[in-house]
Amino acid sequence: MTAAVRVVLAEDSVLLREGLLRLLAETGFEVAEACPDAESFLRAVEAHRPDLVIVDVRMPPTFTDEGVRAALVVRHQYPQIAVVVLSQYVEENYATELFAARSHGIGYLLKDRVADVGDFAESLRRVTDGGTALDPEVVAQLFSRATRKDPLSRLTPREREVLGLMAEGRSNTAIAAQLVIGEGAVEKHVSSIFGKLDLPPDAQDHRRVLAVLRWLGQEG
């Protein structure tokens, strides 16, 4: 039997924290500790060394960026721990910094747009396994930010669409289903994206992740 994913949760709202505790338990996760502020969250991470942390962006005492800054601390000090930011807000600067800190095991989801418990649990497991999970609205805002910095003019509109879905953590099969095209067509688009972003085959690099980072303006 597969061991349950161990989680440390940081959420200042009592109602949301209790709701997440119940949801996580019902979907097979083990919550080691649930914390109301960033300071206690970082202590809990050090004590429990979980597989995954779920963090709100704005937490006490100032309710500005304590949570996401704590998430960055985890990214740097405990690179083996997967991080999911679950918030009402898209903090563009911090979102790109989270991805720059380490290019796998990261998610950024918006509370108001989590519509399906099963999809949410699947996103958490994908991030725990080293993948990525971004809400489409996060992708759109980061894409807008990246476009202001670098238009990536060599990509076609369809390639931009494919790259955006890649950033959400979707597989080629899922991208094909979303765009209603064949999986072979997706593979051709992905190959073209790699070529246009100057990402030749390299056994040491995960080109799919590097393409997303290039798109976010963190590479090159």
Side-chain angles (χ1 to χ4, degrees):
M1 183 176 178
T2 305
V5 174
R6 298 179 71 249
V7 179
V8 168
L9 170 66
E11 169 58 65
D12 63 285
S13 166
V14 174
L15 290 177
L16 285 176
R17 189 166 65 246
E18 292 302 316
L20 282 168
L21 283 170
R22 179 175 296 181
L23 184 155
L24 291 167
E26 290 175 351
T27 51
F29 293 86
E30 176 189 335
V31 179
E33 192 167 340
C35 309
D37 56 66
E39 186 176 341
S40 62
F41 163 71
L42 289 175
R43 289 198 301 268
V45 171
E46 182 177 7
H48 298 290
R49 304 296 173 95
D51 305 302
L52 169 71
V53 296
I54 303 173
V55 193
D56 189 13
V57 168
R58 302 183 181 184
M59 302 190 72
T62 69
F63 295 95
T64 54
D65 59 2
E66 283 87 351
V68 73
R69 284 193 286 110
L72 283 167
V73 170
V74 173
R75 293 291 276 173
H76 288 290
Q77 293 188 3
Y78 309 100
Q80 76 281 9
I81 297 176
V83 174
V84 170
V85 173
L86 181 63
S87 182
Q88 291 178 300
Y89 314 96
V90 181
E91 298 285 355
E92 293 181 9
N93 289 333
Y94 286 115
T96 32
E97 191 174 349
L98 280 165
F99 274 85
R102 185 163 49 90
S103 58
H104 58 278
I106 179 69
Y108 200 127
L109 303 174
L110 299 182
K111 294 176 181 177
D112 293 343
R113 291 168 57 88
V114 174
D116 184 272
V117 170
D119 288 345
F120 177 62
E122 181 183 346
S123 295
L124 296 182
R125 289 195 169 86
R126 182 167 69 245
V127 172
T128 304
D129 290 339
T132 58
L134 278 78
D135 183 276
E137 180 62 25
V138 176
V139 171
Q141 290 199 33
L142 294 181
F143 182 82
S144 175
R145 175 187 175 88
T147 300
R148 293 194 297 270
K149 297 171 65 177
D150 179 359
L152 300 178
S153 58
R154 288 183 288 178
L155 297 185
T156 67
R158 177 63 93 183
E159 288 165 352
R160 290 170 183 262
E161 203 171 5
V162 169
L163 186 50
L165 293 170
M166 288 165 60
E168 291 177 27
R170 303 199 191 193
S171 66
N172 285 0
T173 301
I175 292 172
Q178 175 71 22
L179 300 181
V180 196
I181 59 177
E183 198 166 340
V186 174
E187 291 173 0
K188 289 180 181 178
H189 286 311
V190 171
S191 178
S192 178
I193 289 167
F194 290 156
K196 291 179 179 180
L197 297 184
D198 301 317
L199 296 173
D202 186 336
Q204 300 304 312
D205 285 329
H206 191 319
R207 289 196 296 170
R208 201 175 185 91
V209 171
L210 291 177
V212 172
L213 290 176
R214 185 71 55 84
W215 171 61
L216 295 178
Q218 297 301 308
E219 295 284 330

